[in-house]
Amino acid sequence: QVQLVESGGGLVQAGGSLRLSCAASGRTSNIYHLGWFRQAPGKERERVATISWKYAFTTYVDSVKGRFTISRDNTRNMMYLQMNTLKPEDTAVYYCAARSDSRPPGEYEYWGQGIQVTVSS
């Protein structure tokens, strides 16, 4: 099992920045791919950004390209999401997730508890 814990959320004004962190523990040798997801009230969960654990290949949803940066430090079992130029529409609960290489792409089996990010206008 892998445990994931998010930190760094909070309230920020539009145009501001936040950095989310995700700490992984447990059987971290199982980790193959990680991602940040978000869910706003009344909306479906959305994949924001992903990163491969070994080679750090990244993907982003179009709405955050150029504003958010995903990164990882696999020597410390950490993943990050640097969020700049935040907009009110970025308001959501953000989740970190991980999957092993036994799962198909997009099917994440480990999830954090989520952390609130609120962007005021």
Side-chain angles (χ1 to χ4, degrees):
Q1 287 289 342
V2 174
Q3 292 78 44
L4 302 171
V5 178
E6 303 96 339
S7 60
L11 173 65
V12 64
Q13 287 190 332
S17 298
L18 280 176
R19 188 196 196 204
L20 302 183
S21 299
C22 176
S25 61
R27 302 191 71 166
T28 57
S29 58
N30 285 356
I31 296 174
Y32 180 73
H33 211 264
L34 302 104
W36 286 99
F37 293 75
R38 66 186 179 186
Q39 188 164 22
K43 295 188 176 182
E44 293 188 354
R45 186 172 63 195
E46 175 184 45
R47 183 169 58 196
V48 176
T50 67
I51 189 166
S52 61
W53 189 237
K54 186 173 182 181
Y55 296 111
F57 295 134
T58 61
T59 69
Y60 297 91
V61 68
D62 285 347
S63 61
V64 308
K65 285 180 180 178
R67 300 188 298 123
F68 290 11
T69 302
I70 189 172
S71 62
R72 61 87 178 105
D73 182 346
N74 52 12
T75 65
R76 299 179 62 200
N77 294 327
M78 295 292 295
M79 177 177 66
Y80 306 97
L81 186 68
Q82 177 66 43
M83 305 185 292
N84 298 330
T85 319
L86 282 160
K87 304 175 181 180
E89 51 263 44
D90 295 318
T91 296
V93 176
Y94 284 71
Y95 300 88
C96 68
R99 68 174 178 89
S100 62
D101 62 0
S102 65
R103 293 296 183 105
E107 188 176 312
Y108 291 81
E109 66 216 270
Y110 307 113
W111 290 86
Q113 79 286 357
I115 193 163
Q116 179 69 45
V117 170
T118 303
V119 184
S120 63
S121 57

